C-alpha cells in the first residue's frame, strides 16, 4: 500500500478516535478542509510543515504519528 494512503488512514483513525469532523479538525490546525480531506484520502504528498500541524492537532509526536505508517 502506498505511503500516502497509509498516512491518510492513520490520520483518519486518529481523528475519528477524537470524534471530530474533518472540517473542525482542519480549522483547529489552520488547514483548508478540502486539503486535509485529500490527505486522509491518500491523495497528497504531505509537507513536513503540514505534518507538524497535524501532529500538534492530535497532541502527539512525529514518531507517534508515523508509527505503523
Amino acid at each position: 500500500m502506498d505511503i500516502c494512503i497509509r498516512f491518510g488512514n492513520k490520520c483518519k483513525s486518529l481523528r475519528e478516535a477524537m470524534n471530530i469532523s474533518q472540517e473542525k479538525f482542519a480549522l483547529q490546525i489552520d488547514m483548508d478542509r478540502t486539503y486535509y480531506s485529500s490527505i486522509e484520502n491518500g491523495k497528497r504528498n504531505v509537507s513536513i510543515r503540514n505534518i507538524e500541524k497535524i501532529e500538534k492537532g492530535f497532541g502527539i509526536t512525529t514518531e507517534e504519528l508515523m508509527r505503523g505508517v
Side-chain angles (χ1 to χ4, degrees), residues 7-21 25-26 28-29 36 39-40 50-61 64-66:
F7 182 76
N9 288 340
K10 177 74 178 263
C11 290
K12 183 176 181 176
S13 67
L14 289 169
R15 179 185 57 76
E16 287 178 341
M18 293 174 63
N19 199 29
I20 188 171
S21 69
F25 185 73
Q28 285 182 328
I29 63 171
Y36 181 76
I39 292 171
E40 283 194 4
N50 285 329
I51 289 172
E52 182 180 41
K53 286 182 177 183
I54 292 167
E55 70 187 40
K56 286 182 178 180
F58 290 132
I60 60 177
T61 66
E64 291 169 312
L65 180 59
M66 299 307 288

Side-chain angles (χ1 to χ4, degrees), residues 32-60:
D32 182 77
R33 184 204 54 81
T34 58
Y35 182 85
Y36 181 76
S37 174
S38 66
I39 292 171
E40 283 194 4
N41 289 314
K43 296 179 180 174
R44 291 281 178 177
N45 185 359
V46 186
S47 74
I48 194 74
R49 294 190 194 280
N50 285 329
I51 289 172
E52 182 180 41
K53 286 182 177 183
I54 292 167
E55 70 187 40
K56 286 182 178 180
F58 290 132
I60 60 177

